[in-house]
Amino acid sequence: MQFMLLFSRQGKLRLQKWYVPLSDKERKKISRDLVQTILARKPKMCSFLEWRDLKIVYKRYASLYFCCAVEDQDNELITLEIIHRYVELLDKYFGSVCELDIIFNFEKAYFILDEFLLGGEAQETSKKNVLKAIEQADLLQEVSQTPKIFT
Amino acid sequence: MPAVSKGDGMRGLAVFISDIRNCKSKEAEIKRINKELANIRSKFKGDKALDGYSKKKYVCKLLFIFLLGHDIDFGHMEAVNLLSSNKYTEKQIGYLFISVLVNSNSELIRLINNAIKNDLSSRNPTFMCLALHCIANVGSREMAEAFASEIPRILVAGDTMDSVKQSAALCLLRLYKTSPDLVLMGEWTSRVVHLLNDQHMGVVTAAISLITCLSQKNPDEFKTCVSLAVSRLSRIVSSASTDLQDYTYYFVPAPWLSCKLLRLLQCYPPPEDGAVKGRLVECLETILNKAQEPPKSKKVQHSNAKNAILFEAISLIIHYDSEPNLLVRACNQLGQFLQHRETNLRYLALESMCTLASSEFSHEAVKTHIETVINALKTERDVSVRQRAADLLYAMCDRSNAKQIVAEMLSYLETADYSIREEMVLKVAILAEKYAVDYSWYVDTILNLIRIAGDYVSEEVWYRVIQIVINRDDVQGYAAKTVFEALQAPACHENMVKVGGYILGEFGNLIAGDPRSSPLVQFNLLHSKFHLCSVPTRALLLSAYIKFINLFPETKATIQEVLRCDSQIRNSDVELQQRAVEYLKLSSIASTDVLATVLEEMPPFPERESSILAKLKKKKGPGAVSVTELEDNKREGGELNGGGDRGPDTAAMAASNASTPSPSADLLGIRSAAPVGAPPASTGSLLVDVFSEAGPAAPSAAVNDDGFLRFVCKNNGVLFENQLLQIGIKSEYRQNLGRMYLFYGNKTSVQFASFTTTVSCPGDLQSHILFVPLCSETKPSNRITQWKAITSSLSP
């Protein structure tokens, strides 16, 4: 995968994960262009399109578009399921996730994504294992918040 | 669920985000952001050392602001400080900031690398994972230099935790992609391959991506992975849906892993070992069988996962291209998908079939679906699906269905999306040329193309049709007639005028007998479009007019009138003016013989690779045209060169060259672009060259004007070529010394005797060039001999 973008129906970027080195300017341009292209598509159209020299796989969940750019030889259907798995993970973590959760807890969204995908490839496809890793991190967090009276 | 975050809350952050969301305008937002930035700046510069929590909060706010799209130029130091904290959340935010806002400040990079190194050697799996994630997210060369040797060790060490192994594998992959030279697998190869047997599916999933990438670059070193992959795959495919527990996705066992295994196998040819191959074929058949079974779940995720594996398996079958049975089954399966309810599946089926069409085993099978594909082209509502259908038609085209397909593509072109028209035009042109049995059909098709999508008909296309018409006697009359009729349409595309002008100029005499297309009528028709055309077209038309004077002396007076008028001979464009003046003079003073020789019919063009193919290749990238290339290699050559008689010109040339020629080829000075003298057998050919330069540039058979200028930057290539002789140049330069090899190739089947070459060097270059003939005067037929020139100049 080259990058993943999450954006609202108004075109606001909620999450951007880049797996290839690109300058800020290039990233902004790509985001703008791609968001426009996808927002212009009608609901019944297929989830894949060719854009520049990449394949784009996207799906809309409620008010958020999840959009991935993969290379020519990558499997589109499995990428669609990567998107779905990510949504499931967010859903399990936040409990019925909605766009607001991702806005206010953007850093968590990135952390969860990192546990699932790394360098553009799926690293752990077991939902249980990914969530376990996140929970462990949260536990560490709580431990580190032990009130100062005990120190 | 509303805005309550888990864990520690970071209330300040939530408040800030709310504020931003409540801003009513862009200006308000910017104001709020600037206020916050000032606040954070002062806190960072302040006297009191910030505690970890505050630092974390502010760094997070900066991150948020950056992700909104504003630039952040401070905070990196604080983020790096967070890295060295022992608190996990602080570290986490620090790493996130660094990953997102990668900075090329070398000081910071050193510090970051230090922190990462500490975390990697900390033996704390969560810290190690954080560090590995950061390296994978950034993947810069400095990181590769620092860690490329450490990570493989972590990957294969026995005591590494599974989650760390996963991260290590993909981290290594990222480093390999960005800096392949720094990642040396060497001693780790077999251990990495062995990861395919790991009992933890997650480790296998991660490792396999790494192995796939490494195999592509070093197939031999990693080829032991093939048998391991096959056994893993067959275990998964034959497992019941409860076996793999959490790795089962909506009743599909390990779909991601299966797809990755199938991808890995596509890096290698079919396994040689019979047992392994047998198992693999069995696997593939099982996958194909499962596709026919009723689905275990109605959810789209189930079918997507199942079909993902199916499509990947089909890709593998196509890649192997050796099992006819499987290929045909794959084709049938795709055929079923072509009519599926779901648009996604139809799209993917069309895409897959394109690759299938190029395989000889399944080409016929693919063709059986032509009606469905044509239907898709006409009725699909999604433009990307229609485009795939067009691509598939192009791929499945062969002699039996060429006419039908070209007709369909032409009608599609009439309503096609503008962005894809140019490509479609190129494809139709290529198909029409390749499968034309009857060249009048070809001419019709191209003229139709110009009529329908004239704007998108690039030069290569209409140059080609002219080349073909000139090379084939049998279609010249037809071409003249058709072009004449086409020009009579009230609104005529400029490309049509160009083609028409050229063809009537050459072959107008073939239809001049008919009173409806008498010379004067032809001239008036062309001239009526004259003022509507751009300069290059007008230049072409002027050339056509002078050719008319030659062909039809009765039109001389009329045409001379036109040439004489002010708008031509005083035209502001230099080219037009020059042509008008010269043609006028030529028509007045030249005798009929000279005129006839000068304006001789164009000789046939030499066969060379279709520039249209080259253009399509350039547009689509190398992969797309492989199908046509395969077929090009298969087809017989010589379809372009028409047989039969040529004009007297070529006969004269051939005759004079059979006897002792002495084509003295004047070599150019290295930088001048003077045209090389062609064999002086007839003055006609020389002048024709001159005229052909004045006409459309490409059809020039002899001189490649811009070709010479090429050599300013390029060292090797063909310097000059005509039907007798080819001169190639190969040069190398080092500082102030240069060496130039000239290769003369005798293209005829007769010997050249007394072949001499002279080098004329302009001016002071003379003293600097040492010319060394490397071999003798006689040139045996069809051979290439070599001359050497060494140049040295005083300054590099």
Side-chain angles (χ1 to χ4, degrees), chain A residues 1 12-14 16-21 24 27-28 41 44-50 55 59 61 71-82 84-85 88 92-98 100-101 103-108 110-111 114-119 121-129 133 136-138 140-142 144-145 148, chain B residues 1-8 10 13-14 17-18 21 29 51 53 60 63-64 66-67 69 71 87-89 92-93 96 100 126 132-133 136-137 163 166-167 170-171 173-174 177-178 200 202 205-206 209 246-247 249-250 255-256 259-260 263 300-301 304-305 307-309 311-312 343-345 347-348 351 381-385 388 620:
Chain A
M1 196 183 297
K12 295 201 135 151
L13 266 185
R14 298 299 180 203
Q16 40 173 312
K17 188 77 187 183
W18 300 86
Y19 293 111
V20 284
D24 267 348
R27 291 181 184 183
K28 287 203 175 129
R41 281 172 79 81
K44 281 282 166 57
M45 292 172 106
C46 78
S47 307
F48 318 120
L49 66 134
E50 289 204 327
K55 294 206 270 205
K59 193 159 170 186
Y61 287 85
E71 277 134 18
D72 223 23
Q73 61 271 39
D74 288 332
N75 187 317
E76 288 101 323
L77 277 177
I78 209 76
T79 312
L80 208 50
E81 291 316 306
I82 285 184
H84 187 77
R85 181 32 73 85
E88 281 181 342
K92 199 72 202 282
Y93 181 76
F94 288 111
S96 289
V97 68
C98 66
L100 279 179
D101 288 320
I103 296 173
F104 281 93
N105 300 288
F106 67 96
E107 79 277 10
K108 290 288 189 322
Y110 281 96
F111 298 151
D114 267 350
E115 290 292 336
F116 174 42
L117 298 175
L118 196 61
E121 303 283 342
Q123 71 170 315
E124 177 58 78
T125 53
S126 151
K127 196 157 86 175
K128 213 172 57 174
N129 287 352
Q136 270 179 352
D138 279 347
L140 276 179
Q141 202 177 282
E142 257 133 59
S144 68
Q145 295 304 103
K148 296 221 169 84
Chain B
M1 213 161 148
V4 173
S5 51
K6 283 203 171 188
D8 64 76
M10 279 204 283
L13 177 62
I17 297 179
S18 295
R21 282 174 63 76
E29 185 180 299
D51 68 328
Y53 173 81
C60 213
L63 189 54
F64 180 77
F66 178 77
L67 289 171
D71 287 324
K87 299 219 177 83
Y88 180 75
T89 49
Q92 214 181 19
I93 298 284
L96 183 59
V100 174
T126 13
L132 288 167
H133 291 183
N137 285 332
S163 58
Q166 288 169 244
S167 304
L170 291 176
C171 181
L173 174 61
R174 175 67 197 264
K177 280 190 194 162
T178 48
H200 189 277
T205 309
S209 298
D246 203 43
Y247 286 92
Y249 181 79
Y250 291 89
W256 284 282
C259 282
K260 287 195 187 191
R263 259 298 285 292
V300 69
Q301 281 74 32
N304 278 350
N307 289 326
I309 302 179
F311 275 105
E312 202 65 53
T343 320
N344 287 346
L345 290 176
Y347 178 93
L348 291 174
E351 191 184 25
R381 280 189 297 195
D382 187 336
V383 64
S384 26
V385 183
R388 283 269 160 264
K620 285 283 267 186

Side-chain angles (χ1 to χ4, degrees), chain B residues 38 74 118 143 214 217 235 253 258 364 419 437 462 628 683:
Chain B
F74 69 102
N118 289 336
M143 287 193 175
L214 291 169
K217 302 285 166 63
R235 279 204 303 260
S258 309
E364 288 305 315
S419 53
V437 165
W462 70 266
T628 22
T683 43

Side-chain angles (χ1 to χ4, degrees), chain B residues 652-663 679 722-726 744-755 777-785:
Chain B
M653 265 172 53
S656 58
N657 284 324
S659 52
T660 53
S662 50
N722 70 3
Q723 284 173 313
L724 309 171
L725 184 67
Q726 183 192 62
Y744 296 93
N746 177 349
K747 282 168 76 169
T748 65
S749 46
V750 295
Q751 236 192 33
F752 286 170
S754 317
F755 184 98
E777 314 277 348
T778 18
K779 289 289 169 29
S781 52
N782 294 328
R783 293 272 209 90
I784 296 194
T785 47

Side-chain angles (χ1 to χ4, degrees), chain B residues 156-174:
Chain B
V156 302
D159 55 348
T160 314
M161 286 205 61
D162 291 327
S163 58
V164 178
K165 275 195 186 155
Q166 288 169 244
S167 304
L170 291 176
C171 181
L172 197 56
L173 174 61
R174 175 67 197 264

Side-chain angles (χ1 to χ4, degrees), chain B residues 142-346:
Chain B
E142 292 93 1
M143 287 193 175
E145 279 164 10
F147 302 112
S149 44
E150 178 69 25
I151 297 182
R153 202 170 304 138
I154 298 177
L155 177 58
V156 302
D159 55 348
T160 314
M161 286 205 61
D162 291 327
S163 58
V164 178
K165 275 195 186 155
Q166 288 169 244
S167 304
L170 291 176
C171 181
L172 197 56
L173 174 61
R174 175 67 197 264
L175 290 181
Y176 185 79
K177 280 190 194 162
T178 48
S179 320
D181 50 323
L182 293 173
V183 178
L184 302 161
M185 289 316 292
E187 46 186 314
W188 313 115
T189 307
S190 54
R191 309 258 280 281
V192 168
V193 172
H194 197 67
L195 287 171
L196 281 178
N197 276 341
D198 200 294
Q199 47 176 338
H200 189 277
M201 301 279 268
V203 173
V204 183
T205 309
I208 199 173
S209 298
L210 175 63
I211 296 173
T212 309
C213 184
L214 291 169
S215 303
Q216 282 169 340
K217 302 285 166 63
N218 317 293
D220 287 324
E221 284 175 41
F222 286 87
K223 64 175 186 254
T224 40
C225 68
V226 174
S227 50
L228 291 177
V230 172
S231 40
R232 196 93 211 203
L233 180 66
S234 69
R235 279 204 303 260
I236 295 175
V237 164
S238 48
S239 66
S241 53
T242 45
D243 287 351
L244 296 168
Q245 297 172 337
D246 203 43
Y247 286 92
T248 303
Y249 181 79
Y250 291 89
F251 301 107
V252 180
W256 284 282
L257 189 48
S258 309
C259 282
K260 287 195 187 191
L261 285 165
L262 288 162
R263 259 298 285 292
L264 174 58
L265 290 170
Q266 285 176 55
C267 297
Y268 287 95
E272 287 152 4
D273 180 302
V276 175
K277 187 164 181 199
R279 255 180 119 180
L280 182 56
V281 169
E282 218 181 284
C283 246
L284 293 171
E285 282 178 351
T286 317
I287 295 176
L288 283 168
N289 289 342
K290 278 196 184 174
Q292 298 296 331
E293 288 167 9
K296 293 207 176 80
S297 152
K298 285 226 170 64
K299 294 228 160 123
V300 69
Q301 281 74 32
H302 168 80
S303 72
N304 278 350
K306 203 170 78 164
N307 289 326
I309 302 179
L310 179 61
F311 275 105
E312 202 65 53
I314 292 180
S315 290
L316 182 61
I317 294 173
I318 296 176
H319 167 78
Y320 281 171
D321 200 18
S322 62
E323 304 284 325
N325 174 37
L326 288 177
L327 281 165
V328 171
R329 276 191 75 181
C331 183
N332 292 338
Q333 181 62 60
L334 291 178
Q336 279 181 2
F337 279 147
L338 280 180
Q339 312 201 354
H340 202 274
R341 282 183 312 122
E342 246 190 80
T343 320
N344 287 346
L345 290 176
R346 296 200 298 273

Side-chain angles (χ1 to χ4, degrees), chain B residues 529-547:
Chain B
K529 316 274 181 197
F530 189 86
H531 60 281
L532 297 166
C533 296
S534 66
V535 168
T537 317
R538 292 192 197 182
L540 195 151
L541 285 176
L542 287 179
S543 301
Y545 295 166
I546 185 73
K547 292 181 193 173

